Each structure stands twice: as structure tokens, then as C-alpha cells.
Amino acid sequence: MTFKLTLAAVTAAVVAAFSAGAAQAQITDNVVRIGVLNDQSGIYTDLSGPGGVDAARMAIEDFGGSVAGAKIELVSADHQNKPDIGSNIANQWYDRDGVDAIFDVPTSSVALAVQNIAKEKGKVMIDHGAATSDLTGKACSPTGIHWTYDTYALANGTGRALVEQGAKKWYFITADYAFGHALERDTSNAVTAAGGEVVGTVRSPFPSTDFSSFLLQAQGSGADVIGLANAGGDTVNSIKQAAEFGITQGGQKLASLLVFLSDVHSLGLEVSQGLVLTTGFYWDLNDETRAFAKRFGERNGGKMPTMVQAGIYSSVTHYLKAVEATKSDDGKTVVDQMKKTPVNDFFAKGGTIREDGRMVHDMYLMQIKSPAESKGPYDYYKLLATIPGDQAFRPMDKGECPLVTK
């Protein structure tokens, strides 16, 4: 009898030990590795770049440096806005270096390539810097999330607002790659739905420094609005050269469809004042956004965070909470948990992640202040309207995402 009890006790102990080991093994190699893949040397450096990496680092530090008993590690790399380089890094990170989730990935052509790789490998990709709404449309992924903004929200905000103000005829200067094409498409749809029309478009090489010929074509088109379907350094150069040509003084409006705080800082208020824009975040919205911005600025030479940098902090934190809850770094398991959990932080209140991977949150229609209205560095925006998330982003059944239940 004693032998049987002892054997039973030993068996139970072995089963318990095996179960505990199996549970622990859900965190691969007992490390959760986060990768920030972005532009650290080109035209999108300021909108994310090293500041985006530091935003992820801040989130990891605030989480305590470990999750579900596993250490959190951070790696970063520069994809140079090239899909082949971005794809090679993603493959190496996922296959050799044990990276569990990749964040940021500006440049839509790179983001689409990396999301496809993540999908094939069952790994997580959470995008911030890329804009194309196709990431949650026909190219959606069960392990992909689009967090900060997209071309549909930008178009629906800025495009619709200007048409409603009477600027009905549009001419586009479009960056000739996936992002520019998507932004032109979505803005054209918003403009025509609001009663406007598109009278012409011209495609500019990406990246580009000389927009003079494109601006002259737009100036001669008779359009009420010249829509800039570009971003980063391309946007800065477009606006500077438009000012040199006196385009707005001649009566035409300039619609910069994607403007970051870093762009306005580079341009200065004399050049950019009066522009209307749509953003997913502004550092001076409330006490919570100001508190985060103060901490970020202290670490980044006084710079206030862009919506991309703020979004990275928000999503890394939400990702780690899901890892903690599931005790797993399996891509599908973690993303499913993220979708079950509302996002409530300084970036978004009542944010939700839909079946197609779109994180739905309020967007903001802003106007750039005049020099006289600004109280100092980075005091650049005034709020015109808050656009509720369910109005800002494309309806899920309109995106052609194959994951969406019909």
C-alpha cells in the first residue's frame, strides 16, 4: 500500500512538472523579442526613426523589462525604404534571430512585403508608419494590425472637410509607389462622394527633391485644391516649393494629405500656417498626452512625439499585455488576445482592433497655427474637429479583407 501511494505521488509530481514546463515553453527560448523596422537614414527618419525605437524602449522599460517570466529584448534596423531590404531583415529576424513581433515599418511597399512574410510564418507585424489601407483590406493578415492611421482616414478627414468648405476641384501630385497610389485613390473617392471632382493627377518619383514641374502643372490645371499624396521629405519639399511659386497666394489651396509634427517643425509656421490636416495623435491634446510627450522629449532632445512614435509606445504596451495574459508568444494567440481587449491609454480611449486588423480610434482634424498663435516650439496645431473612429476608418465590409466574415 505504501509503495502504491508513493508511486502515485511520484507520478503526480512528474505530470505537474511536465505541465509547468510545457506552460513555460510557450514563451520561445524564454525571451520575447521585439523588432522596430523603419527608416533611420532617409526621408521618413524624423517621423519615426530613432525616436520610434526609443518609444518602443520606453514601453518595455515601463512594463518592467520582462513579461510572463521571460526577458524582453529589443532590436532595430533600417529598411532604407526598400522592400527587398525590409523583406531580408524580416526573414532573418523571424527565422534566425527569434523575433516575435515587428513594429512600425513605414513605406507601404515595404509594409505590404513584411506583413506577407509575417503572415506566412505566423508572426506578428504591427504597422504604424505605412499608410496604405490595403494592409487591412485585400492584403490583411490574421497576425497583422494597422495601428495609427491609414489612407482612408486621411482622405475621409482632410479631403471631405475641404470639399465641404467649397474646394471642389482637385489635382493630385502623387508619390509613385504603393502609398501614394492608395492615398490618391482613397482621397479621390472621398472627394467625389462629398460632391467634388478630380480634374487631374501627376505621378512624382519617390523620393524626389524637385517638384517644380509638377507644381506648375497643378497650378495651371484650374483646380481649387492641389492634393499632395506624399509624405516626409517629399511633403516638406513640395510645400516649400509651392510657397516659392506663390500657389496659395494665387487662390489655390494646398492639401497636404499626410503631415507629421516633424514636417511642420522642419517647414516652420511661416510656410505651413493654415494647412488643414488629419492626425491620429497630438501631444498637446490633454494632460495624458502632455505627460507622455514630456517624458519622450526629455529623452529625445526636446522633440515632441509624432503620431507614429506615440502609436508605437501604445501598441508595444498592448502587445506585451496580451503576451502576459496568454503566457504565449505565438503570433495568432497573442493577436487574438489583443483583439479581445480594448485599448485605453493616452493614445486611444475605447480603441478596438477589428477582425481585419484595423485598430479603430478617434482621429483629429487640425489646422496649423500662424506664428502669432503659437506659444513656442511644437505648439503648432489647433483642433478643428474630433472624428469618431467608426466614422474615420473604412467600414470593415468595404475593404475586401478575406478574413472578414460575410
Side-chain angles (χ1 to χ4, degrees):
M1 180 68 70
T2 302
F3 174 78
K4 289 181 179 180
L5 286 173
T6 303
L7 181 59
V10 169
T11 301
V14 170
V15 169
F18 177 80
S19 298
Q24 182 64 32
Q26 290 183 75
I27 303 293
T28 312
D29 67 12
N30 206 34
V31 176
V32 173
R33 290 188 179 86
I34 287 171
V36 177
L37 181 60
N38 62 17
D39 176 3
Q40 300 185 21
S41 58
I43 65 170
Y44 296 153
T45 303
D46 290 341
L47 66 88
S48 183
V53 178
D54 195 53
R57 186 177 295 111
M58 287 176 67
I60 292 168
E61 291 172 1
D62 289 349
F63 209 83
S66 64
V67 58
K71 181 182 178 183
I72 306 168
E73 292 184 354
L74 176 67
V75 297
S76 64
D78 183 353
H79 62 41
Q80 301 176 44
N81 301 309
K82 297 178 180 178
D84 57 340
I85 292 176
S87 296
N88 288 338
I89 293 169
N91 276 313
Q92 177 180 309
W93 276 359
Y94 287 142
D95 293 342
R96 193 189 74 182
D97 299 337
V99 169
D100 298 296
I102 294 176
F103 292 77
D104 196 7
V105 201
T107 310
S108 292
S109 53
V110 182
L112 290 165
V114 172
Q115 178 157 289
N116 189 54
I117 291 168
K119 179 181 178 180
E120 292 174 351
K121 299 178 186 298
K123 297 288 188 175
V124 176
M125 202 277 268
I126 301 178
D127 193 90
H128 299 278
T132 178
S133 58
D134 289 344
L135 285 166
T136 55
K138 59 186 178 183
C140 68
S141 163
T143 56
I145 298 173
H146 205 178
W147 198 268
T148 305
Y149 70 101
D150 64 22
T151 51
Y152 185 96
L154 298 174
N156 197 41
T158 308
R160 183 175 294 274
L162 289 175
V163 173
E164 289 174 351
Q165 291 174 14
K168 295 187 177 296
K169 294 183 178 180
W170 284 64
Y171 188 99
F172 289 96
I173 298 176
T174 301
D176 195 11
Y177 76 110
F179 153 67
H181 300 168
L183 185 52
E184 179 194 318
R185 175 198 67 205
D186 288 346
T187 307
S188 296
N189 290 340
V191 165
T192 54
E197 64 174 314
V198 177
V199 298
T201 185
V202 63
R203 301 284 169 84
S204 62
F206 170 75
S208 186
T209 56
D210 185 4
F211 289 86
S212 55
S213 64
F214 310 125
L215 288 164
L216 288 171
Q217 290 179 59
Q219 193 174 33
S221 68
D224 301 319
V225 180
I226 300 172
L228 301 178
N230 52 23
D234 280 0
T235 297
V236 170
N237 289 327
S238 300
I239 295 173
K240 283 181 177 178
Q241 290 168 31
E244 292 170 3
F245 286 126
I247 284 177
T248 55
Q249 291 90 329
Q252 287 177 303
K253 291 182 181 293
L254 200 63
S256 190
L257 298 167
L258 178 53
V259 180
F260 294 93
L261 189 71
S262 53
D263 300 330
V264 179
H265 189 71
S266 176
L267 284 163
L269 296 182
E270 286 287 353
V271 173
S272 58
Q273 62 182 307
L275 282 175
V276 174
L277 61 101
T278 302
T279 185
F281 171 85
Y282 181 48
W283 72 271
D284 200 20
L285 276 175
N286 54 53
D287 288 344
E288 284 185 273
T289 59
R290 285 187 286 271
F292 171 76
K294 182 175 183 293
R295 294 176 56 217
F296 181 89
E298 288 170 350
R299 301 167 60 117
N300 288 275
K303 296 177 180 178
M304 293 296 99
T306 66
M307 63 172 165
V308 169
Q309 292 159 342
I312 291 171
Y313 180 100
S314 173
S315 67
V316 169
T317 301
H318 198 69
Y319 169 80
L320 292 174
K321 287 179 178 178
V323 173
E324 185 73 59
T326 59
K327 303 294 187 290
S328 174
D329 59 0
D330 173 73
K332 184 67 164 55
T333 300
V334 174
V335 169
D336 284 349
Q337 178 64 28
M338 294 176 74
K339 289 178 177 178
K340 293 175 185 176
T341 311
V343 181
N344 283 300
D345 57 17
F346 70 88
F347 182 85
K349 298 298 181 188
T352 57
I353 304 171
R354 299 189 314 203
E355 189 178 356
D356 61 357
R358 175 69 257 165
M359 203 279 269
V360 177
H361 55 90
D362 292 348
M363 296 289 287
Y364 306 98
L365 188 67
M366 300 282 191
Q367 187 170 37
I368 298 176
K369 293 180 176 180
S370 69
E373 292 173 306
S374 175
K375 297 177 182 177
Y378 295 100
D379 178 26
Y380 298 152
Y381 296 172
K382 54 186 176 184
L383 179 65
L384 299 180
T386 298
I387 308 169
D390 60 357
Q391 297 177 28
F393 293 99
R394 179 181 58 209
M396 189 163 60
D397 61 355
K398 304 297 184 184
E400 301 180 43
C401 171
L403 301 174
V404 175
T405 304
K406 302 297 183 183

